[in-house]
Amino acid sequence: MYLLHRIYNQTSAAMQIRLLEEENKLSIGYAAFVLAGEGDTLIGHARTMAKADFAVYFAALGHKMGLPWATRTRSHWLYYFLQLESNDTVVVPTHTGFAIYRVTAAPEVVPTVAREHDVGFTVPVKLLVNDPKGAVGAALTDAMRFRGTDLMLSGQATQDIDGLVAGQDTTVPEPAAAAVAAVQETLQGLHPAQFTEIVGRYLRAMGADEVRYPAADPNKDETPVDILGVFRNVGAVILVHAQQYSGTVPEAGIQELVGFQYTTFEGYDAMAAIKWFVTTGHFPEDEDEAVGYVQENRVQVLQDKDLAKRLVISGVDLSFAKA
């Protein structure tokens, strides 16, 4: 298995980083289950149950224990972690890049740590590559868009990882500044409906099996989700709030997206949900608080020319048929 595993955006991040750096152990939260004596049971079920069945069991157990946060969606991150075994490869995003680890033994419960921190499970690992130099292959670059959750990687992304471990050059050229500026100008001049369609095209270019536009559906209640992209091959759904802007973005759209309960979309209970805030504007340049706010709430942000750069690299068609 090749797993993308999050640490730095968890509430117990400081302890999880210490465990990794000092004891060579990757970790994950869910301490409440371990303290209740359910840790080994969850490990066993993750190794024998299908993902959807594990999600049902996890939510039912959480309800029985009085844990309102223990939803089916929250089970997905734990499911993959508990399936790790020797020789599996784990990519861990950091504040500056990422590191690659090799698993050396099966996951285990850690009740002594769980009593003081939200860390319920650990798995021993060996560091293979720390912050590879230069950009990575296109497939792994796309997979890293999901850095806010745990996802099982497949296909070309795994070959990109193997190449980095072997010391091969998987660099993706930086797009030309003039091309990015031209795309940015185009994006800011589009009709709002066209802008959201372009974001949908980009999700398709990333590999989305299905793209929907919930905010444009007159039969649906008002929602901050403008575009929804379904990635069945990695078991994820991206929920996007998109804004055209030429200056500092207002906080209202971000707050609406943070507070949005994505379980209101039916049919995606078995998938990990990732929120994206996409804008051609930018956060206050002298204020780190806004960036910290969205990171703490697991919202991935594309601001300023971020989307334009990705569109240039992916070669998404920006044209529309004339009326």
Side-chain angles (χ1 to χ4, degrees), residues 63-214:
H63 178 74
K64 179 180 178 181
M65 294 173 58
L67 304 174
W69 54 266
T71 62
R72 294 186 185 186
T73 301
R74 287 288 182 90
S75 75
H76 304 322
W77 306 318
L78 181 62
Y79 179 74
Y80 290 129
F81 188 89
L82 297 185
Q83 287 191 321
L84 288 170
E85 56 187 24
S86 294
N87 294 318
D88 283 342
T89 303
V90 185
V91 177
V92 179
T94 67
H95 291 308
T96 58
F98 65 93
I100 304 174
Y101 296 86
R102 178 69 37 80
V103 176
T104 60
E108 59 184 6
V109 297
V110 284
T112 55
V113 181
R115 292 189 185 99
E116 296 186 15
H117 304 274
D118 183 21
V119 176
F121 305 85
T122 63
V123 61
V125 295
K126 174 184 177 182
L127 178 65
L128 298 179
V129 180
N130 188 28
D131 282 340
K133 303 304 179 184
V136 300
L140 182 55
T141 297
D142 282 344
M144 293 292 284
R145 316 295 191 213
F146 299 94
R147 61 192 295 127
T149 188
D150 277 26
L151 291 174
M152 185 168 61
L153 304 177
S154 61
Q156 183 60 46
T158 67
Q159 297 178 38
D160 289 347
I161 294 170
D162 290 340
L164 290 169
V165 172
Q168 298 173 4
D169 182 10
T170 58
T171 299
V172 176
E174 186 72 11
V180 173
V183 170
Q184 179 76 345
E185 183 178 357
T186 298
L187 292 176
Q188 291 179 333
L190 292 174
H191 183 278
Q194 294 176 325
F195 179 70
T196 57
E197 182 177 334
I198 291 298
V199 177
R201 291 180 189 179
Y202 175 64
L203 295 178
R204 286 283 190 190
M206 282 180 58
D209 306 283
E210 175 188 354
V211 174
R212 291 170 48 194
Y213 301 90

Side-chain angles (χ1 to χ4, degrees), residues 229-287:
V230 182
F231 296 77
R232 291 188 175 84
N233 62 325
V234 293
V237 55
I238 293 183
L239 310 171
V240 184
H241 180 68
Q243 285 187 352
Q244 285 171 291
Y245 238 78
S246 58
T248 303
V249 297
E251 296 182 4
I254 302 171
Q255 292 171 346
E256 289 178 7
L257 184 62
V258 167
F260 177 68
Q261 297 299 309
Y262 44 74
T263 51
T264 56
F265 283 111
E266 298 179 0
Y268 305 108
D269 287 349
M271 296 185 176
I274 301 102
K275 298 177 181 179
W276 276 18
F277 182 82
V278 178
T279 179
T280 53
H282 58 80
F283 285 128
E285 296 178 357
D286 58 348
E287 187 175 328

